[in-house]
C-alpha cells in the first residue's frame, strides 16, 4: 500500500511591526501599499502611550488598511482596548501579562506572547493558551540572544509543540536563518522602515529571501526523503 504523501510545509509568512505610531493617516496609506507588496499575515501596531480614547482612535484609523488586505491587526500590549478598537488581538510580554489578558480576549481574539527567556517560560505560555510564541526580541535593556540561540529555540519549539513560533529578525540574514530553522512566521520591524530604498522594497526583498531559505531547507529535506524511500 502506498504511503500517504506528506503535505508540503508552508512557507513562513511575514509579521510586520510598525514604528510607534504618530500619524495614523500617513501610516495607513503606506500600509496599503506595503501589504500589497509581500505576504504579510499580521501587523503589530506599536502605540505611543496616550489616553485610551486616543489609542483606540489610532487603531480604528489603521484598521481598514490592515484588515481589508487580509492581515490580522494586533496591538502591542494594551489588551484592555483590543475589543473596543476592533483589533484582532494583542501581543503581550511575559507569561504573567499573557495569563492576565487571556480571559478578556479568548476565544474570539488572538493572544500572542514574547519575553520568554527560558524554555520553561515558553512551555508555560503554550499551556496557558498562547496562540503563538515569539523568540528573539530585545529585552528591556535592548539585549537579545544571538542569531544561533534564537534559531535553536525555534527548532526546538517547532519539533515539539503545536502553537506557531515566530522569529524576531533584525536583518535579512536573520530572517533567512529563522525561516530555515522552522519558524512559522518571521517578525520584521525597524530595519524595514529605516531601509534607504523604502519599506516596500525592503519588505518585498525579505519575503523573497524567506521563501528561498525555506525552500532550500525543507525542499531539500523532502527530496532527500524521497531518495531514501
Amino acid at each position: 500500500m502506498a504511503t500517504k504523501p506528506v503535505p508540503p510545509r508552508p512557507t513562513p509568512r511575514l509579521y510586520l511591526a510598525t514604528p510607534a505610531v504618530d500619524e495614523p493617516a500617513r501610516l495607513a496609506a503606506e500600509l496599503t501599499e506595503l501589504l500589497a507588496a509581500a505576504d504579510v499575515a499580521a501587523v503589530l501596531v506599536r502605540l505611543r502611550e496616550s489616553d485610551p480614547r486616543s489609542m483606540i482612535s489610532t487603531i480604528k484609523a489603521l484598521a481598514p488598511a490592515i484588515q481589508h488586505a487580509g492581515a490580522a491587526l494586533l496591538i502591542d500590549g494594551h489588551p484592555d482596548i483590543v475589543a473596543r478598537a476592533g483589533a484582532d488581538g494583542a501581543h503581550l510580554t511575559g507569561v504573567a501579562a499573557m495569563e492576565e489578558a487571556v480571559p478578556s480576549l479568548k476565544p474570539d481574539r488572538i493572544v500572542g506572547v514574547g519575553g520568554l527567556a527560558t524554555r520553561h517560560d515558553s512551555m508555560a505560555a503554550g499551556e496557558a493558551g498562547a496562540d503563538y510564541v515569539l523568540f528573539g526580541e530585545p529585552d528591556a535593556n535592548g539585549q537579545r540572544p544571538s542569531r544561533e540561540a534564537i534559531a535553536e529555540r525555534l527548532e526546538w519549539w517547532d519539533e515539539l509543540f503545536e502553537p506557531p513560533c515566530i522569529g524576531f529578525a533584525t536583518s535579512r540574514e536573520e530572517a533567512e536563518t529563522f525561516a530555515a530553522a522552522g519558524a512559522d512566521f518571521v517578525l520584521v520591524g525597524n530595519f524595514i522602515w529605516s531601509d534607504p530604498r523604502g519599506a516596500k522594497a525592503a519588505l518585498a526583498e525579505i519575503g523573497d529571501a524567506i521563501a528561498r531559505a525555506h525552500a532550500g531547507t525543507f525542499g531539500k529535506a523532502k527530496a532527500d526523503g524521497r531518495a531514501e524511500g
Side-chain angles (χ1 to χ4, degrees), residues 15 17 44 46 76 91 114-115 133-139 144-147 150-151 154 165-171 174-175 178 183 185-191:
Y15 186 5
L44 180 64
R46 295 166 167 162
D76 192 5
H91 174 81
V133 292
L134 173 67
F135 300 129
E137 77 276 29
D139 62 20
R144 58 194 295 266
S146 67
R147 177 169 54 168
I150 299 167
L154 290 164
C165 57
I166 301 175
F168 184 106
T170 61
S171 67
E174 286 191 352
F178 300 159
F185 302 88
V186 176
L187 188 148
V188 295
N190 293 346
F191 80 101

Side-chain angles (χ1 to χ4, degrees), residues 80-138:
D80 53 308
I81 68 170
V82 167
R84 286 181 287 163
D88 297 294
H91 174 81
L92 290 309
T93 299
V95 178
M98 191 210 85
E99 289 178 333
E100 183 178 346
V102 162
S104 65
L105 296 175
K106 296 283 248 177
D108 298 322
R109 290 177 168 83
I110 300 165
V111 182
V113 62
L116 304 169
T118 67
R119 291 189 178 194
H120 179 269
D121 288 345
S122 307
M123 291 187 289
E127 291 169 359
D131 291 300
Y132 68 76
V133 292
L134 173 67
F135 300 129
E137 77 276 29

Side-chain angles (χ1 to χ4, degrees), residues 19-179:
V21 182
D22 285 317
E23 298 180 31
R26 179 178 175 182
L27 180 59
E30 190 167 10
L31 283 170
T32 298
E33 188 174 0
L34 283 177
L35 298 182
D39 182 23
V40 177
V43 176
L44 180 64
V45 177
R46 295 166 167 162
L47 293 165
R48 294 280 187 200
E49 290 297 328
S50 182
D51 63 277
R53 179 175 294 183
S54 296
M55 291 191 291
I56 289 169
S57 295
T58 295
I59 294 297
K60 287 184 174 181
L62 295 174
I66 297 169
Q67 294 169 332
H68 291 174
L73 189 167
L74 279 79
I75 302 173
D76 192 5
H78 307 288
D80 53 308
I81 68 170
V82 167
R84 286 181 287 163
D88 297 294
H91 174 81
L92 290 309
T93 299
V95 178
M98 191 210 85
E99 289 178 333
E100 183 178 346
V102 162
S104 65
L105 296 175
K106 296 283 248 177
D108 298 322
R109 290 177 168 83
I110 300 165
V111 182
V113 62
L116 304 169
T118 67
R119 291 189 178 194
H120 179 269
D121 288 345
S122 307
M123 291 187 289
E127 291 169 359
D131 291 300
Y132 68 76
V133 292
L134 173 67
F135 300 129
E137 77 276 29
D139 62 20
N141 298 316
Q143 302 298 310
R144 58 194 295 266
S146 67
R147 177 169 54 168
E148 293 74 19
I150 299 167
E152 186 276 333
R153 185 66 59 86
L154 290 164
E155 290 173 354
W156 164 74
W157 184 270
D158 177 57
E159 289 175 1
L160 298 176
F161 303 101
E162 286 296 323
C165 57
I166 301 175
F168 184 106
T170 61
S171 67
R172 186 187 71 186
E173 292 75 18
E174 286 191 352
E176 291 171 335
T177 296
F178 300 159

